[in-house]
Amino acid sequence: MIVAIDGPAGAGKSTIALNVAQELGFQLIDTGAIYRTVGLKATQMGLDINDGPACAQLAADLDFEFKIVDGKNHIICNGETLGQEIRTPDMSRAASIVSAHPEVRQALLNIQRELGRARDSVLEGRDIGTVVFPDADVKVFLTASDTERAQRRVLQLGEQGAAANYEDILADIRERDARDSSRSAAPLKQADDAVAIDSTEFGIDEVVAKVVSLVPGR
Ligand code: DC
């Protein structure tokens, strides 16, 4: 069983996907974390993140696993559990850049499919319902306005004690949206048969219940 949850950065995908995966007892494949890890490893190795073929070669050689422990989803790359180091603003940019290379997307396509076929899975990303699993059992496209997403991000950073400037964050979100939607390889777009949910209109529990209710047999 494959549940695909796509949408732009900051629409609440991670929270919704984690809750859905826990409720269903499925693994959660955070595909953004995979792109972030490729960006991190490339940076650590001194590779040029603008070099598509080199980044694709690296991506193909990495091994990924996901595990939910104590209510948190962890990405494990080559046996090493990664944490906040893939969530820095630099790694958000690096992930956005490496993910625009068609060679990288191709290399990660098989990896994502193998991971998803191994177990019942929730996959969150941008192109799960359109490219990675076009036959997914459930497809959800989660949205929220860019201003709402920027406000949430400011609150989240504030809770972490980090300084956050609303205008900078909004500009950053708009820049990433534009890059993710305009790239030629698997741009961010809603699958024709995806159910669109605007997370601005509903609470987390309501969205989770709605997604779970779409799963056959639920
Ligand atoms: O969801 P996220 O912010 O962790 O994603 C990081 C970057 O990776 C983001 O710029 C979009 C890209 N991405 C992608 O192109 N395709 C996916 N399936 C998931 C993420």
Side-chain angles (χ1 to χ4, degrees):
M1 184 87 73
I2 298 285
V3 177
I5 303 181
D6 291 305
K13 278 194 313 280
S14 303
T15 308
I16 302 298
L18 178 61
N19 281 277
V20 169
Q22 285 187 293
E23 193 151 330
L24 295 170
F26 289 9
Q27 71 170 335
L28 171 56
I29 302 172
D30 173 359
T31 61
I34 296 179
Y35 286 100
R36 287 170 180 275
T37 300
V38 174
L40 176 74
K41 295 282 173 193
T43 307
Q44 285 174 343
M45 291 169 65
L47 283 184
D48 177 4
I49 56 172
N50 293 299
D51 183 339
C55 290
Q57 181 66 52
L58 165 69
D61 288 342
L62 296 174
D63 175 65
F64 297 97
E65 249 182 281
F66 286 91
K67 261 197 197 121
I68 297 177
V69 181
D70 295 334
K72 272 192 159 175
N73 194 38
H74 296 273
I75 183 165
I76 303 157
C77 177
N78 291 357
E80 180 196 356
T81 302
L82 300 172
Q84 287 309 112
E85 63 268 49
I86 61 166
R87 306 277 163 202
T88 64
D90 277 352
M91 287 311 123
S92 296
R93 283 184 63 83
S96 180
I97 291 167
V98 298
S99 70
H101 300 308
E103 304 91 339
V104 172
R105 304 202 72 86
Q106 185 59 39
L108 291 179
L109 193 56
N110 297 331
I111 291 177
Q112 293 172 86
R113 285 181 176 159
E114 274 172 29
L115 279 170
R117 283 185 188 131
R119 284 183 53 192
D120 286 332
S121 304
V122 175
L123 287 96
E124 62 155 298
R126 304 291 192 287
D127 62 340
I128 308 305
T130 49
V131 176
V132 183
F133 283 107
D135 297 327
D137 301 272
V138 175
K139 292 186 191 180
V140 171
F141 196 79
L142 202 62
T143 58
S145 65
D146 50 13
T147 49
E148 169 75 19
R149 289 184 280 136
Q151 260 156 20
R152 286 183 192 168
R153 185 76 186 131
V154 168
L155 280 178
Q156 196 182 32
L157 287 168
E159 280 164 15
Q160 293 167 5
N165 176 289
Y166 172 79
E167 293 301 332
D168 289 349
I169 288 173
L170 181 60
D172 198 54
I173 285 178
R174 287 184 171 156
E175 184 192 319
R176 273 219 281 163
D177 279 358
R179 187 160 44 214
D180 294 344
S181 310
S182 67
R183 66 172 178 237
S184 54
L188 171 66
K189 91 175 199 311
Q190 184 181 334
D192 293 337
D193 53 350
V195 176
I197 303 177
D198 185 335
S199 69
T200 321
E201 291 173 33
F202 306 100
I204 292 171
D205 292 348
E206 277 176 294
V207 179
V208 171
K210 198 165 163 47
V211 178
V212 169
S213 75
L214 297 171
V215 177
R218 290 275 162 169

